[in-house]
Amino acid sequence: MRSPLLAVATLAAAAALVTGCSSGDDWSRPHPEPTAIGTLGQGFVDPSASLAPEATATPRPGSWAGVHPSEDYRVVLLTTGDDRPTKALVKAVEDWAEEEHADLRTIVADTPHDLIPSISKAMEMRPDLIVSAGNGLIDPLATVTPNHLSQRFLVVGAELAEPTDNVTAVDWSGASFRGEGLGASSTYDAASFTAERCAAAIRAGVAAVLNDLTGIVIWLDKI
């Protein structure tokens, strides 16, 4: 017979895994296709350039500011690690969701064994977008994302070495972690994960996804 203490512990662990604030929608009901409210500013991308998968775009600072998600945009934040850069990225995503009234749920992968299951859990929730924060998720994402092309992913503060069209990344010189044994670049700088840059990363990334500019790297050396 299962002990009451074990049952309580199991429930507590489940509550710790998936958290978030919502509008009361359990995500099981039909949901309109998300749209972009507003338009990208001049200089977000070069209209004459062809942005193939894995291409890099360097948007003009602030050119993403006029784009917002439609009501009740469903987002799952996947995160792992308690280092300062990851905490800064998580805070930026949470602040963005509150300001934009996005419906945000968070899944925390506490151990290496939780990484791929956490991605699977996020996809089972069928969000409009899965946002990844934490270098430990890069290699698991590289394994999972090519097999689920209908699910959109946004990686902030890092990038996949060979992203498919459903994975967009926002990166800069001080970040540049790419996984697959490549590790951090020689220019990696934890101090570059400022509140301002992390806020720009989530906003620029979402703006790109909402405008179907996916499978690319948004480069934010200038904000």
Side-chain angles (χ1 to χ4, degrees):
M1 182 176 178
R2 194 179 190 186
S3 72
L5 287 177
L6 180 58
V8 170
T10 301
L11 288 172
L17 181 64
V18 183
T19 61
C21 298
S22 74
S23 60
D25 187 349
D26 63 5
W27 290 17
S28 65
R29 291 175 284 179
H31 180 60
E33 187 73 18
T35 59
I37 307 300
T39 57
L40 292 169
Q42 184 177 9
F44 187 84
V45 293
D46 181 353
S48 64
S50 176
L51 288 176
E54 302 183 45
T56 298
T58 306
R60 178 176 297 173
S63 57
W64 51 82
V67 178
H68 308 275
S70 50
E71 186 177 3
D72 291 331
Y73 191 48
R74 294 174 176 176
V75 179
V76 173
L77 169 61
L78 275 175
T79 182
T80 188
D82 58 2
D83 53 283
R84 179 186 171 278
T86 299
K87 288 181 178 179
L89 291 167
V90 168
K91 179 67 164 56
V93 175
E94 292 172 343
D95 289 348
W96 164 83
E98 183 175 359
E99 292 166 6
E100 297 292 345
H101 305 290
D103 193 347
L104 179 69
R105 314 290 169 90
T106 300
I107 297 179
V108 180
D110 291 317
T111 72
H113 298 293
D114 297 329
L115 296 172
I116 287 183
S118 73
I119 300 171
S120 298
K121 176 66 177 177
M123 291 189 297
E124 288 169 4
M125 296 168 70
R126 300 179 67 183
D128 299 317
L129 181 65
I130 296 174
V131 178
S132 169
N135 290 345
L137 284 159
I138 298 304
D139 283 338
L141 285 170
T143 299
V144 174
T145 54
N147 301 311
H148 299 275
L149 297 177
S150 63
Q151 175 63 62
R152 289 185 165 183
F153 292 83
L154 173 62
V155 179
V156 286
E159 60 185 271
L160 273 60
E162 298 182 5
T164 42
D165 189 58
N166 57 325
V167 183
T168 304
V170 184
D171 215 351
W172 56 90
S173 296
S176 304
F177 184 87
R178 300 182 67 194
E180 295 191 1
L182 299 174
S185 74
S186 59
T187 59
Y188 181 82
D189 180 8
S192 70
F193 289 75
T194 62
E196 182 183 13
R197 192 182 302 277
C198 292
I202 180 63
R203 290 193 173 278
V206 171
V209 171
L210 289 172
N211 282 275
D212 295 321
L213 298 170
T214 59
I216 64 173
V217 176
I218 304 296
W219 197 254
L220 290 186
D221 266 356
K222 296 180 180 180
I223 56 172

